[in-house]
Amino acid sequence: MACGPSGIRKMDAKCKVVNKFLQTEKQVNRGPEQSWTQGFACDLYLKECEQKKHRALEKYRREQKNNAAKRQEIVQLKKKIQKLKFRQEELQKKIGKYKRFEEFLQKIFDALPSTEYGYLAYGEDSLIKTLIKRHRTLVTEKERLLRKLSVQQYSLQETLHEFRVLQEEYNTAQYMVMAKVSELQSKYNELQTKNTDLMQFINTKEDLLTKRCQELSRMLLAVSGLAEQCYMRHYGALQEMTLWSKLSMIQEFILEKMQIKEETMSLIKAGKSSITLLKEQLPKQKYSGRVLLHADRSPEEEMV
């Protein structure tokens, strides 16, 4: 029985034909019992057809899965065959490469004696003796080189161990140096800040000193000007006088002027009091004329 899509289509066509035939037969035969029997038989046939169809579909699906698995297996086998071909080619190349060594060894084997001690019959200059000596020399050299290699390996391990120790020490020292550099950098920044503050303070002080120097210069000029105005001969030449002498001279001059002013004021007060007494003694008629006369005069003139 066909289990593919064509078989399923054929079964569907048969079912359709049977259904059509049963419908035609129902129309021809109108008997109730016969119609029920034919309908029951038709239902059984249809159920059987559905079951066959279901089984065919299941079988078709299983075959599809098996075919897909086989195709994957075929692809994998082809890949393995391709790899084996590449491997075969490589081995053939190696066989061709070592073919000459095989021929050389075969020639040596043919030249060797058939017995174990047969080579003793050959002389010292024979090829066999030369090969044996060369072999022994090479074996000895190989052992020496192996011993040297083991010593070198041990030395290399010790060197690597020392290198690791030095690497760790270097990393530790580098870390410490970086920490020290960071600390010094922070200190440098602090000192830089302090230096900036000190420079600002010094500049401020220099400005104040400059202002004070200017004020002192102005004061010295003022003292020199006052000394010229208050010059007194008994102090000597003005150019040769010191600052203290100039100040003393100015002080003396001011005190003298104040004393003169006080004496003058006392004389003025005494003159005013005498004038007042004189006014009281003179008659009123004469006093009015004299008062007008003396009103235009200053107190100093009156004192004179």
Side-chain angles (χ1 to χ4, degrees):
M1 180 179 175
C3 59
S6 60
I8 294 170
R9 286 195 293 271
K10 288 179 181 179
M11 290 178 66
D12 291 336
K14 287 181 179 180
C15 291
K16 289 179 181 180
V17 171
V18 171
N19 290 329
K20 189 175 181 181
F21 174 75
L22 290 173
Q23 289 176 2
T24 305
E25 190 175 1
K26 284 180 181 180
Q27 291 177 2
V28 174
N29 299 319
R30 300 284 183 178
E33 294 179 359
Q34 189 177 2
S35 297
W36 182 83
T37 304
Q38 290 177 356
F40 181 73
C42 183
D43 290 335
L44 290 175
Y45 182 73
L46 290 174
K47 288 180 180 180
E48 185 179 357
C49 289
E50 288 293 330
Q51 291 176 359
K52 289 180 179 180
K53 179 181 177 181
H54 182 69
R55 287 195 296 271
L57 286 172
E58 290 293 332
K59 187 176 181 181
Y60 173 73
R61 289 169 184 166
R62 286 196 300 271
E63 288 181 355
Q64 287 292 327
K65 290 181 180 179
N66 293 330
N67 291 333
K70 287 180 180 180
R71 282 195 294 271
Q72 291 180 358
E73 187 177 358
I74 289 168
V75 172
Q76 292 178 358
L77 290 173
K78 285 182 179 179
K79 290 181 180 178
K80 288 182 180 179
I81 290 169
Q82 191 70 22
K83 289 181 181 179
L84 290 173
K85 285 182 179 179
F86 290 150
R87 179 65 177 168
Q88 184 180 6
E89 291 177 358
E90 291 178 358
L91 292 174
Q92 286 178 354
K93 289 179 181 179
K94 287 184 179 181
I95 289 171
K97 182 179 178 181
Y98 295 116
K99 186 69 176 176
R100 55 181 181 175
F101 297 106
E102 182 183 0
E103 293 175 355
F104 175 73
L105 292 174
Q106 187 64 38
K107 289 179 181 179
I108 292 174
F109 181 75
D110 293 338
L112 289 173
S114 58
T115 60
E116 184 178 359
Y117 299 99
Y119 67 91
L120 297 174
Y122 293 93
E124 292 292 332
D125 298 333
S126 63
L127 180 62
I128 302 300
K129 289 285 187 179
T130 305
L131 290 173
I132 291 170
K133 289 180 180 179
R134 181 61 178 168
H135 175 70
R136 289 175 179 173
T137 304
L138 291 175
V139 170
T140 306
E141 186 68 18
K142 179 183 177 182
E143 292 176 354
R144 187 183 67 81
L145 291 174
L146 288 173
R147 288 194 298 271
K148 186 177 180 180
L149 179 63
S150 63
V151 172
Q152 292 293 332
Q153 287 178 350
Y154 180 74
S155 177
L156 178 62
Q157 290 178 358
E158 289 184 348
T159 305
L160 289 174
H161 178 69
E162 292 177 357
F163 174 75
R164 293 191 189 95
V165 173
L166 290 174
Q167 186 71 27
E168 291 178 357
E169 292 178 356
Y170 171 75
N171 293 332
T172 305
Q174 187 178 11
Y175 176 75
M176 293 176 67
V177 168
M178 292 297 292
K180 190 67 176 178
V181 168
S182 178
E183 183 180 357
L184 292 175
Q185 185 68 31
S186 61
K187 289 183 179 180
Y188 172 76
N189 293 332
E190 292 178 359
L191 291 174
Q192 192 73 17
T193 306
K194 289 181 180 179
N195 189 20
T196 304
D197 296 337
L198 289 174
M199 290 298 294
Q200 292 178 356
F201 179 75
I202 290 170
N203 292 330
T204 305
K205 290 295 183 182
E206 286 181 352
D207 294 338
L208 291 174
L209 183 61
T210 303
K211 290 180 180 179
R212 288 181 180 178
C213 290
Q214 292 176 356
E215 291 177 358
L216 183 60
S217 299
R218 287 194 292 269
M219 290 176 66
L220 291 174
L221 290 174
V223 169
S224 298
L226 288 173
E228 290 178 359
Q229 294 178 3
C230 303
Y231 177 68
M232 301 178 76
R233 292 182 179 179
H234 63 275
Y235 278 94
L238 184 63
Q239 291 78 10
E240 297 177 358
M241 292 174 63
T242 61
L243 179 63
W244 182 254
S245 299
K246 290 179 180 180
L247 291 173
S248 299
M249 184 179 67
I250 292 168
Q251 184 180 6
E252 184 179 353
F253 182 81
I254 291 170
L255 291 173
E256 185 177 352
K257 288 293 182 181
M258 289 177 66
Q259 186 177 2
I260 292 170
K261 183 178 179 181
E262 289 177 355
E263 292 176 357
T264 303
M265 292 300 294
S266 62
L267 290 174
I268 290 170
K269 288 179 181 180
K272 285 183 178 180
S273 61
S274 62
I275 290 170
T276 304
L277 292 173
L278 184 61
K279 285 179 180 180
E280 291 177 355
Q281 293 176 2
L282 290 174
K284 291 182 178 180
Q285 293 84 6
K286 293 180 180 181
Y287 179 74
S288 59
R290 291 180 67 88
V291 168
L292 293 172
L293 180 63
H294 289 284
D296 296 331
R297 298 175 65 184
S298 62
E300 289 82 0
E301 291 177 352
E302 291 178 357
M303 290 176 63
V304 175

